[in-house]
Amino acid sequence: MSVVQSVDNVALLPAYLAAGTAVLVLLADLLVGRAGATVAVAGTGVVATGVGAVVVGAAGTRRTFCVGADCSWVFDGRAALVAGVFALLTLGVLGLSGPLLRGGPTPVGEYCFLLACSMTGGVVLGAAGDLITLIVALETLTLPLYVLVGLRRGSLASAEAAVTFFVVSVVATTVTLLGAALLYAATGGLHLGRLGGLLADAPDVPLVPAAVALVVLGLAFKVAAVPFHAWAPATYDGAPLPVAAYLSTASKLGGVVALLAVVQRALPAEVTGPVLALLAVLTMTVGNLVALRQRRTVRLLAWSSVAQAGYILAPLGVLASTTGRGDDVRAGAYAAAVAYAVFFVVVELAAFAALVALRPAGADGGAVADLRGVARRRPWAGAAFALALVGLAGLPPGLAGLFAKVTVVRAVLDGGAGWLALVVALNAVIGLAYYLRLAATLYADPIRVPAGPAGEPAAAGLPARTGQPTAPVGVAPGVTPGRVAWPVSVALAVATALAVVIGFAPQLVLDLATR
């Protein structure tokens, strides 16, 4: 067997474009020094990456860095879908970051460079064919986020969030690497396709159960699955809103893709299935129950994101029971998890885009009460937010969320786990409470508070003077909410349009995930 690895540069084109975008952003920032030019270069590179991924993926499966039948890079239709979604999310977050970058303390060049580096990790992650490439790609996706989370200078919450995210992520990576090392010690292989056969031939090796558990649990940190979720709410709430949007979508998608890769191609289903089923039940139940008590908007969305991770993991929890039911049942479980992940990140991006549009430039997500009646002042942004919340809840007209949950339940029932389908259905009902409550808050009558002589709210417990002006909570008297920056408006419009398109044609995403 030849040990010379072949290199297919066409297969590597999406990774070249993503990494080249990061380099060009630094050069543009150094040579031009204008924020608009730097962001334009970043946006152009992101679009080129997405287009390149679609073109290469449409040509069929391409492999490179191969030794015999084992390849470290496999770019197929699913890898193209993952790369395209990462490019879309990065472009959306760039648009949402417009107010944050315009004249603020955030360094534009470094910000765009870190986003491009993170996108590069996501593109590589979808095509990773061995454990080392997969873990390195996942860390390339995650490492820039440590810095991005702490970019709210002078904010103690932002600094705490960055440190929490860093420490937890390093521990998760260490656990995953230890599991990979034990797998290599037990089997002598690291390629995902080869590991499956090696583990099947050596089921009695004592190291194997421990190695599998460590890899799955390490990746569960990245997905924010319960009980490895505690970092997510504080990190999301402390990060700038556009970064929180990226964490809730791209970072979670990366963890899901990595977990899918090792579960589908490498690790034994009879070991991973029960573990993932337990994680799914805990994640969706704890996420939904805690979300019911949240009073801050980003924390509510963060706990909602935890619960949604449980729905994504649910189809993978039936892998052990699909043995003997045919390959179609197992392929349906994988496709349901991928499709739900894509549905979720698109609708979640629309929700965060609407929140950025409804909040003052540079502000955090604020409290849920701050959004009371906001849809009356900004009807289009409020309607987009309500549509995204309805989609996450799984109700029409947001058919994407409904179709995604039906797809998950169908995959679970096909796998013979009726009890898990019942848990999914019950948690979907629980989720309705906080999603609809937040949507109703957007259209509720604003609470009026009396204003003092200098335009300040009157002291608590004191009646307003006769003829005294009043103002909604969160809005100073006589102040009209400012206009939404055009990059945010464009990002919100595109994200909402995609959510609507997917809502009316959800089968397209499921078909792509099945390839």
Side-chain angles (χ1 to χ4, degrees):
M1 180 180 66
S2 173
V3 296
V4 178
Q5 295 184 340
S6 60
V7 178
D8 182 352
N9 288 299
V10 175
L12 294 168
L13 180 61
Y16 290 159
L17 291 170
T21 299
V23 175
L24 288 176
V25 163
L26 284 182
L27 291 176
D29 186 52
L30 175 65
L31 300 177
V32 180
R34 296 178 58 186
T38 303
V39 174
V41 169
T44 303
V46 171
V47 172
T49 301
V51 172
V54 172
V55 171
V56 175
T61 302
R62 304 186 72 101
R63 304 171 185 270
T64 189
F65 297 128
C66 298
V67 178
D70 300 326
C71 298
S72 295
W73 182 273
V74 182
F75 202 90
D76 53 12
R78 186 174 293 182
L81 175 63
V82 171
V85 172
F86 271 107
L88 172 68
L89 295 175
T90 306
L91 189 63
V93 171
L94 273 176
L96 298 182
S97 304
L100 185 67
L101 301 178
R102 187 188 301 114
T106 303
V108 178
E110 288 85 342
Y111 186 91
C112 295
F113 169 74
L114 291 169
L115 272 182
C117 287
S118 185
M119 178 186 68
T120 303
V123 171
V124 175
L125 185 62
D130 63 66
L131 276 178
I132 298 303
T133 303
L134 183 114
I135 294 173
V136 170
L138 189 58
E139 286 311 297
T140 305
L141 167 66
T142 307
L143 280 171
L145 300 179
Y146 304 152
V147 182
L148 290 173
V149 167
L151 278 182
R152 284 171 56 196
R153 297 179 180 177
S155 170
L156 181 59
S158 182
E160 290 177 347
V163 173
T164 300
F165 186 35
F166 172 76
V167 172
V168 172
S169 189
V170 167
V171 172
T173 303
T174 304
V175 170
T176 308
L177 283 172
L178 179 57
L182 292 178
L183 281 177
Y184 182 73
T187 63
L190 285 173
H191 289 88
L192 299 177
R194 189 181 176 203
L195 268 174
L198 292 173
L199 290 172
D201 295 336
D204 298 328
V205 177
L207 286 177
V208 170
V212 170
L214 288 173
V215 171
V216 171
L217 297 180
L219 295 177
F221 274 99
K222 304 292 186 180
V223 182
V226 176
F228 314 109
H229 65 290
W231 61 271
T235 301
Y236 290 12
D237 200 22
L241 272 181
V243 178
Y246 196 80
L247 275 170
S248 184
T249 55
S251 178
K252 185 174 291 292
L253 179 63
V256 170
V257 169
L259 194 57
L260 276 168
V262 297
V263 168
Q264 181 177 7
R265 300 165 59 187
L267 303 184
E270 60 273 11
V271 177
T272 59
V275 174
L276 291 173
L278 177 61
L279 288 177
V281 171
L282 289 175
T283 301
M284 68 179 82
T285 304
V286 173
N288 280 318
L289 291 178
V290 180
L292 290 171
R293 299 180 57 82
Q294 298 307 305
R295 294 295 178 263
R296 289 188 59 80
T297 310
V298 172
R299 281 186 177 267
L300 187 149
L301 292 176
W303 283 104
S304 158
S305 176
V306 170
Q308 298 287 346
Y311 302 135
I312 297 171
L313 295 177
L316 305 181
V318 302
L319 293 179
S321 60
T322 58
T323 304
R325 292 176 177 264
D327 293 337
D328 290 343
V329 175
R330 183 166 295 192
Y334 295 130
V338 173
Y340 196 98
V342 174
F343 290 138
F344 164 71
V345 297
V346 172
V347 179
E348 183 83 346
L349 179 65
F352 269 98
L355 183 59
V356 172
L358 293 171
R359 295 290 294 160
D364 60 11
V368 173
D370 295 336
L371 297 177
R372 186 177 181 89
V374 73
R376 297 170 180 261
R377 303 190 297 273
R378 290 176 175 165
W380 292 110
F385 198 8
L387 179 64
L389 293 171
V390 168
L392 290 171
L395 294 176
L399 295 180
L402 176 62
F403 182 85
K405 286 183 172 60
V406 170
T407 301
V408 166
V409 171
R410 184 178 62 189
V412 172
L413 289 175
D414 289 343
W419 66 271
L420 185 55
L422 180 61
V423 174
V424 171
L426 289 175
N427 274 279
V429 174
I430 295 174
L432 294 178
Y434 58 84
Y435 284 126
L436 296 183
R437 183 185 66 198
L438 179 55
T441 300
L442 301 175
Y443 290 92
D445 289 332
I447 298 176
R448 315 295 294 192
V449 295
E456 298 293 332
L462 297 180
R465 299 180 182 179
T466 304
Q468 195 73 17
T470 61
V473 168
V475 179
V479 176
T480 303
R483 291 178 176 270
V484 180
W486 71 264
V488 176
S489 299
V490 172
L492 175 59
V494 172
T496 304
L498 282 174
V500 171
V501 169
I502 290 176
F504 285 99
Q507 188 64 39
L508 294 176
V509 177
L510 187 60
D511 291 341
L512 286 174
T514 308
R515 292 178 58 184

